[in-house]
Amino acid sequence: MPKQQRAIGTRAAILRGAAEAFGRNGYGSTSLADVATEAGVTKGALYFHFDSKEAIALAVIGAQHEASIALGHRMLDGSLPGLEAIITMSLELATQLCTDPVVAAGIRLTMESSVFSSPIVGPYRDWMAVCEELLGRGIAEGDVAVGTDVAAAAHFISPAFTGVQLVSEALTKREDLDRRVDEMWALILPALVAPDRRERLLGLPTRLRAARAAAASRS
């Protein structure tokens, strides 16, 4: 058991170190030696757990997607209205990107995955499926306009968030990500919200962000 626990701890250290290295330098500019140094392990320990740099990168992507899609499943299984759940999900994912190195690195590696032996498409499909289901819930609840093509909307919202965070990372190291996410919703919501709910729902992202800040100050 102690050996197994040490192995689990070493693997976790490698993933954290890889996330720091990949997140800072990208896949192409990061070597296995960089990962080992960042993780504080020997190359032998690294090769015991992973046989290549790509295998480590895929493990980081897997850890990131597991953490992030759990948020999507929590929204699907929860009681929040569908439209509120999608916006909440975007705010929480933005927080993950700014505070969790594994999430930030996993997202970056997913976008760089054209250099891998197989393209990474599962995370994109999973997020679009979550968005589509929540938008369908929003129609049933009367918040999303009847007749909205939920598949097309989901195919736009998920890539839009990806693009927003990518530009934010390039320009400000994500310091302005919250503002950019708010701008994204300011443009998207008028096309989604049912006409009789516009007055109440167009300001929803601002209210949700304020509620999150108030809850954080109390904790």
Side-chain angles (χ1 to χ4, degrees), residues 63-80:
Q64 172 268 311
H65 187 53
E66 182 179 351
S68 297
I69 203 64
L71 166 63
H73 292 156
R74 193 165 75 247
M75 294 297 104
L76 288 174
D77 296 338
S79 58
L80 286 179

Side-chain angles (χ1 to χ4, degrees), residues 21-205:
F22 287 134
R24 182 172 57 250
N25 301 318
Y27 182 79
S29 297
T30 299
S31 67
L32 286 173
D34 295 331
V35 173
T37 299
E38 194 73 46
V41 303
T42 65
K43 271 196 171 183
L46 189 150
Y47 277 114
F48 177 80
H49 291 276
F50 300 99
D51 61 7
S52 67
K53 185 172 76 167
E54 181 172 326
I56 299 174
L58 292 175
V60 172
I61 291 172
Q64 172 268 311
H65 187 53
E66 182 179 351
S68 297
I69 203 64
L71 166 63
H73 292 156
R74 193 165 75 247
M75 294 297 104
L76 288 174
D77 296 338
S79 58
L80 286 179
L83 188 60
E84 182 176 341
I86 292 178
I87 296 171
T88 298
M89 191 167 64
S90 71
L91 300 182
E92 293 196 16
L93 186 54
T95 298
Q96 286 185 356
L97 278 162
C98 294
T99 60
D100 189 329
V102 173
V103 171
I107 294 292
R108 177 169 184 169
L109 288 167
T110 299
M111 292 187 292
E112 295 178 352
S113 65
S114 61
V115 301
F116 297 163
S117 55
S118 297
I120 306 298
V121 298
Y124 295 115
R125 289 173 175 167
D126 289 347
W127 278 113
M128 288 188 286
V130 169
C131 287
E132 185 172 344
E133 187 167 342
L134 289 173
L135 287 169
R137 183 191 297 179
I139 290 177
E141 294 162 339
D143 289 340
V144 176
V146 174
T148 297
D149 186 333
V150 293
H155 293 170
F156 177 78
I157 292 170
S158 182
F161 181 88
T162 299
V164 161
Q165 67 83 23
L166 179 62
V167 172
S168 178
E169 163 65 13
L171 296 181
T172 68
K173 299 299 180 184
R174 297 199 177 96
E175 289 183 5
D176 68 347
L177 181 55
D178 287 347
R179 177 174 63 82
R180 288 182 179 275
V181 171
D182 289 346
E183 290 171 348
M184 180 189 83
W185 283 116
L187 292 171
I188 292 174
L189 282 176
L192 285 179
V193 173
D196 61 337
R197 306 285 176 94
R198 290 174 64 89
E199 184 175 352
R200 179 172 65 85
L201 293 178
L202 290 185
L204 185 57

